[in-house]
Amino acid sequence: MRRNMMRITGAVAVSAALALGAVACGDGDSDSGGSGDEVTIGFMGDLTGENSGLVIPPKQGAQLAIEQYNATNPKTKIKLKTYDSQGKPEQATSLALGAVKNDKIAGLIGPAFSGESQSVGPILEEAKVPSVSPSATNITLGEKGWKYWHRVVADDAAQSAGVGAFATNSLKVKKVFLVSDNQDYGLGLANAIEKAVKEKGAQTQKDAVDDKGTDYSSTVNKINQFKPDLVYFGGYYAVAGRLFKQLREGGYKGKMMSGDGSLATGLIDGTGQENAQGTLISCGCLIDAEGKTNPKAKKFADDYKAKFGSEVAIYSTEGFDAATAFIEAVKAGKTEPEDINNFLKSVDVQGVGKQIKFADNGELATQDIYIYEVEGNKLPLLGNSNEAKVS
């Protein structure tokens, strides 16, 4: 996922910013990062903003992993400290400065979105603090040459390839209409998927909608004139819901699909349950409450529901796995940021989702993409994009 980007003007600016005394910090106490028997790991993302439904699940996944680890009474416990960026890059920047200088975090789970990751990355690089994002998918994050950055989710290039294969092989589409919210994440994803389906022989058209708008009749008319087999929306569930609702009300009968930014029940609420049936969502995340992919997934889903009273959701698995990467480091006696970062270069353990193993550029070694389909008021897993079949 990606929110709007804010530019950082280089290491000099970051160094100056790190020297600031009073900066914003997250919730909880603001004591130092800990002594020999405790280490502080941060979590950063939109916890109260309009897209918090995409970030609370990974936060809860991380919380569960750390609570379960601490319950084993280890030599060094982990304190989880949250930082609510509301998905805003400029807010994330201030929070990151506070996390590094005041809270002395040893690592960061997040940021959740790609835009804030773009802004926070240089700060963490300068401070030599490792991060593992559960959900930032923009392609360019892995091309920065950052040494302290990692993610446990496939990027948008993998998602686009997966959707291209699924749309042409399983859905057998010949015509695809791409819509985006014209923001960095949504536009980038829509453009990448257009390229992927065109390479598979599909005809395409595309348009953009105002993410703050409510009337998408112009786009609906263009779609109905083109008569596509599939409409794919790049963006977040709030806009996707409004668009898909108007599409159905405007008479469109074909398939509707969106990406990881729409994998939330808020999509069903916005579209309307009847209109939303059969809507497809692609994601590099794994939501596997039945344990179809591995036994750990089922146990995690059961533990998660027992703890939070809700089913596993988007990126809750990845939040758990991101925390697990740090937990494995602490278990190995690594409590200083640079030592943890060195450990992450060689970590190789089965997570509750995927294998936790990083390439040299911080990318997850496994780049699987999964497909989900709205059924009733839920979003069950259909399967890997290479194998999934619509109901």
Side-chain angles (χ1 to χ4, degrees), residues 106-386:
L108 180 71
I109 299 167
F113 294 150
S114 297
E116 56 188 345
S117 295
Q118 300 275 11
S119 297
V120 167
I123 295 171
L124 299 181
E125 285 293 300
E126 181 73 15
K128 298 183 178 180
V129 172
S131 67
V132 181
S133 177
S135 53
T137 59
N138 184 258
I139 298 167
T140 63
L141 292 173
E143 300 170 347
K144 300 289 187 181
W146 290 336
K147 303 299 183 184
Y148 293 82
W149 173 88
H150 313 78
R151 61 179 159 201
V152 288
V153 65
D155 68 10
D156 288 336
Q159 183 169 190
S160 302
V163 170
F166 172 73
T168 53
N169 296 338
S170 181
L171 298 182
K172 309 293 184 185
V173 301
K174 301 298 183 184
K175 299 173 72 175
V176 181
F177 199 106
L178 292 304
V179 185
S180 81
D181 59 4
N182 216 27
Q183 301 301 312
D184 289 327
Y185 158 68
L187 180 60
L189 181 59
N191 286 344
I193 288 175
E194 180 186 33
K195 180 181 178 182
V197 296
K198 285 178 76 171
E199 289 175 349
K200 296 285 188 178
Q203 292 179 271
T204 66
Q205 280 191 20
K206 61 183 177 182
D207 197 17
V209 296
D210 181 359
D211 64 335
K212 301 296 191 295
T214 57
D215 182 1
Y216 300 146
S217 56
S218 173
T219 298
V220 170
N221 289 336
K222 292 176 184 177
I223 291 169
N224 283 330
Q225 288 171 10
F226 184 59
K227 296 182 173 59
D229 307 303
L230 172 69
V231 173
Y232 192 100
F233 173 73
Y236 295 94
Y237 63 81
V239 181
R242 294 197 292 272
L243 173 66
F244 289 170
K245 182 176 188 291
Q246 292 175 44
L247 268 177
R248 287 298 188 226
E249 292 176 346
Y252 175 71
K253 303 295 185 184
K255 288 289 186 183
M256 302 187 300
M257 189 172 187
S258 190
D260 53 304
S262 294
L263 187 53
T265 54
L267 174 68
I268 302 172
D269 297 336
T271 306
Q273 187 165 319
E274 183 176 350
N275 289 330
Q277 297 309 297
T279 299
L280 298 159
I281 304 97
S282 59
C283 191
C285 61
L286 178 64
I287 306 174
D288 185 13
E290 302 301 320
K292 295 179 181 178
T293 56
N294 72 85
K296 283 190 173 184
K298 178 67 166 64
K299 182 182 185 305
F300 165 66
D302 291 343
D303 291 346
Y304 186 94
K305 187 171 184 179
K307 170 67 180 178
F308 300 108
S310 60
E311 302 288 347
V312 287
I314 183 170
Y315 295 121
S316 49
T317 298
E318 286 69 28
F320 190 99
D321 282 352
T324 297
F326 284 114
I327 290 168
E328 290 296 318
V330 174
K331 284 166 65 175
K334 314 301 181 183
T335 59
E336 295 299 322
E338 287 197 71
D339 291 337
I340 292 174
N341 194 64
N342 287 332
F343 178 88
L344 293 178
K345 293 177 182 178
S346 60
V347 66
D348 187 359
V349 297
Q350 175 62 49
V352 296
K354 311 174 193 74
Q355 194 75 12
I356 304 172
K357 181 179 180 181
F358 302 109
D360 290 342
N361 63 351
E363 294 281 12
L364 191 68
T366 302
Q367 295 279 292
D368 289 322
I369 299 299
Y370 299 93
I371 305 296
Y372 302 83
E373 183 180 22
V374 174
E375 182 180 308
N377 63 350
K378 296 185 177 181
L379 298 152
L381 172 68
L382 283 185
N384 188 289
S385 61
N386 295 321

